[in-house]
Amino acid sequence: MTGQPTLPRTLGLTDAVMIGLGSMIGAGIFVSFTPAAATAGAGLLIGLAIAAVVAVCNATSSAQLAAQYPTSGGSYIYGRQQLSHWAGFLAGWSFVIGKTASCAAMALTFATYAAPLGYAKPVAVAAILALAAVNYFGVTRTAGLTKIIVIIVLVVLSVTVIIGLTGPQSASTSFGDNLFGQGLYGILQSAGLLFFAFAGYARIATMGEEVTEPKRTIPRAILTALSITLAIYAVVAVAVLVVIGPEKLATSTAPLVELVTASGQSWAIPLVRVGAATAALGALLALIAGVGRTSLAMARHRDLPRFFAAVHPKYGVPHHAEIALAVVVSILVVTVDLRSAIGFSSFGVLLYYLIANLSALTQKPENRRYPRIVQLLGIAGCFVLVVTLPISAIATGVLVLIVGIIYRTVLTRRFDISTPHPSD
C-alpha cells in the first residue's frame, strides 16, 4: 500500500475483544433465536451447537490469516493474497453486502425496543446517523463506547437469566424430548440463521491495521471474544426455551421481555428493553466500523471506486466509505423487514468465511497455527449452512453476487485491474 494513507494502531487486546463482543452479543441474543425457533423449535439448541462449531473453525482460520496479513480488509485481503483477485473480490463483496444488511437489522432491532409505536423506522435512521458520526471521529471513540455498551448488556443479560431461571416456569421443561421435531433440515436452517449472531469476530480481523502487536493480539482477541459469546448464548438459549417454550419463542418479537414477564417480574421489562437497545447499538457501531474498513481495502485495490479509499487526515478513519454506508443503510431500514435482513446477511457472511477457510487452507507451514482439518470442516460447514438457508435469502444473495460479478467484469475490461497493482 505504498504511498497510501494508513490507519493508526491504537487498539489493544481488551479493545479488540470488546469490539468483537459488542458485535456478537448484540446480534444474537435479541434477534436470532426467534427465526431459529420458527424453523427448528427446540432443535435450535442443536443448531446453535452446529453454528458454534462452524464459527470456531472460521475464527481459527481468520486468526491464522490475520496474523500473517495484519491490515484492513479481512478475507478480502486474504483471498487476494492466497487465492486470486477474484476470490478476494467475492469475499469482500459478500462481506460488504451481508454486513450492510446486518447494519439494517441492528438498527431495526434497536428501534423495535426503544422507539414509540409507529416511530421505529425514523428512530432507526437516527441511530445509524448518530453512530456513523461516532465512528467518523476516530476508532478510539468507537472502542471506548463499545466497552460501555458491552458492560451494560452483560449486566442486563445476567439479571434477566437469573430472573427467568429462578421464577415460576410457564413452559414445559421437557422440550428436550422434541429436539428433532422439525427434522435435520430445520436444524441446519436454524444453524445458518444463528450463524448471523457469531460473525462479529470478523470485525476484529477487518480492523487489523489499527490493532497493536497484531500477530499476537488478533488471534487472542478473536478466540477470547468467541468463547465468551458462546457461553452467553448457550445460557440464554436454555433460559428462554425453559421459561417460554419453543412455540412461543418462534413467534415472539421480544423473547427476553417475555422471559421476565413469564417469571412474574414485570418490573424488569424496562431493564430488558434498555439492554436490548444498547446491545443493538453496540453491534451497529462495530458493524459500521468493519464495513467501512473492508470498503476501504477494496477501494485501495480498485475493486470499489477510489473515492472510498480516502482516510480522514485528522481522525484517521475511512470517512467516505462510512458516510456512504450510513446513507445506504438508512435507505434499507425503510424498505426491508428484520427477518429478511438476517437471512440475507447470513448468506453473505457464510460465503465470506468459506473463502477465508479456503485461503487458510493454502497457507505455508510457517504461517500455520491450526491443522488443515479445521479449515476443511469450516469449508464444509459454511457450504451446508448456505444451501439450507431460506430460499428467499439464497435467491436475493445470488442475485446480488451476480450484480457484483458483472460490475467487476466490466471494470476489469475497462481498466485492466486484473493485473497486479503497486499497492498489492
Side-chain angles (χ1 to χ4, degrees), residues 326-409:
V327 172
V328 171
V329 176
S330 296
I331 294 171
L332 283 179
V333 297
V334 300
T335 59
V336 302
D337 65 79
L338 188 55
R339 293 195 185 194
S340 297
I342 290 174
F344 177 63
S345 176
S346 293
F347 178 90
V349 175
L350 282 164
L351 287 181
Y352 173 86
Y353 283 114
L354 178 64
I355 294 173
N357 282 299
L358 286 168
S359 300
L361 190 65
T362 64
Q363 284 181 281
K364 295 179 179 180
E366 59 266 27
N367 296 316
R368 180 164 298 284
R369 293 168 177 255
Y370 308 98
R372 282 189 167 87
I373 186 63
V374 177
Q375 289 102 57
L376 290 171
L377 183 58
I379 291 166
C382 288
F383 178 78
V384 170
L385 296 189
V386 162
V387 299
T388 54
L389 284 171
I391 297 299
S392 59
I394 297 173
T396 304
V398 169
L399 178 62
V400 176
L401 274 182
I402 291 172
V403 170
I405 291 169
I406 293 173
Y407 164 78
R408 192 175 191 274
T409 299

Side-chain angles (χ1 to χ4, degrees), residues 9 59-71 74-75 77-78 201-202 204-209 211 213-219 222 360 363 367 369:
R9 295 194 183 277
T60 55
S61 292
S62 295
Q64 182 172 287
L65 288 158
Q68 183 179 352
Y69 302 107
T71 186
S75 290
I77 296 298
Y78 313 151
Y201 51 82
I204 301 170
T206 58
M207 300 178 76
E209 192 172 319
V211 175
E213 299 183 71
K215 290 187 178 182
R216 179 173 178 268
T217 301
I218 293 173
I222 288 175
Q363 284 181 281
N367 296 316
R369 293 168 177 255

Side-chain angles (χ1 to χ4, degrees), residues 107-389:
L108 289 169
T109 300
F110 165 75
T112 298
Y113 282 94
L117 189 64
Y119 290 88
K121 292 186 175 181
V123 170
V125 172
I128 293 163
L129 298 179
L131 293 189
V134 171
N135 269 300
Y136 189 94
F137 291 111
V139 72
T140 53
R141 290 174 174 80
T142 299
L145 182 55
T146 299
K147 287 179 185 178
I148 296 171
I149 290 172
V150 168
I151 291 170
I152 292 172
V153 172
L154 290 179
V155 170
V156 170
L157 287 176
S158 298
V159 172
T160 302
V161 169
I162 291 170
I163 288 173
L165 294 181
T166 58
Q169 296 172 0
S170 61
S172 169
T173 57
S174 63
F175 65 84
D177 298 334
N178 197 33
L179 288 175
F180 296 94
Q182 302 297 321
L184 180 61
Y185 182 81
I187 289 172
L188 290 174
Q189 190 170 106
S190 75
L193 293 169
L194 287 166
F195 185 81
F196 165 84
F198 287 114
Y201 51 82
R203 222 71 63 248
I204 301 170
T206 58
M207 300 178 76
E209 192 172 319
E210 294 154 281
V211 175
T212 58
E213 299 183 71
K215 290 187 178 182
R216 179 173 178 268
T217 301
I218 293 173
R220 292 176 62 192
I222 288 175
L223 295 178
T224 300
L226 181 59
S227 298
I228 294 171
T229 302
L230 286 175
I232 294 170
Y233 281 9
V235 171
V236 175
V238 170
V240 293
L241 285 170
V242 166
V243 176
I244 68 176
E247 293 80 11
K248 194 170 184 179
L249 176 59
T251 59
S252 175
T253 56
L256 295 191
V257 169
E258 294 195 20
L259 186 151
V260 296
T261 302
S263 301
Q265 304 293 331
S266 58
W267 63 267
I269 292 176
L271 178 69
V272 175
R273 289 192 175 277
V274 168
T278 304
L281 284 180
L284 180 58
L285 182 66
L287 282 166
I288 291 171
V291 176
R293 281 144 184 82
T294 299
S295 300
L296 166 70
M298 294 182 73
R300 283 172 170 173
H301 297 285
R302 296 181 291 179
D303 277 332
L304 285 179
R306 298 283 287 175
F307 173 79
F308 298 125
V311 174
H312 196 283
K314 180 178 180 181
Y315 300 118
V317 297
H319 56 302
H320 288 175
E322 291 187 352
I323 291 171
L325 176 67
V327 172
V328 171
V329 176
S330 296
I331 294 171
L332 283 179
V333 297
V334 300
T335 59
V336 302
D337 65 79
L338 188 55
R339 293 195 185 194
S340 297
I342 290 174
F344 177 63
S345 176
S346 293
F347 178 90
V349 175
L350 282 164
L351 287 181
Y352 173 86
Y353 283 114
L354 178 64
I355 294 173
N357 282 299
L358 286 168
S359 300
L361 190 65
T362 64
Q363 284 181 281
K364 295 179 179 180
E366 59 266 27
N367 296 316
R368 180 164 298 284
R369 293 168 177 255
Y370 308 98
R372 282 189 167 87
I373 186 63
V374 177
Q375 289 102 57
L376 290 171
L377 183 58
I379 291 166
C382 288
F383 178 78
V384 170
L385 296 189
V386 162
V387 299
T388 54
L389 284 171

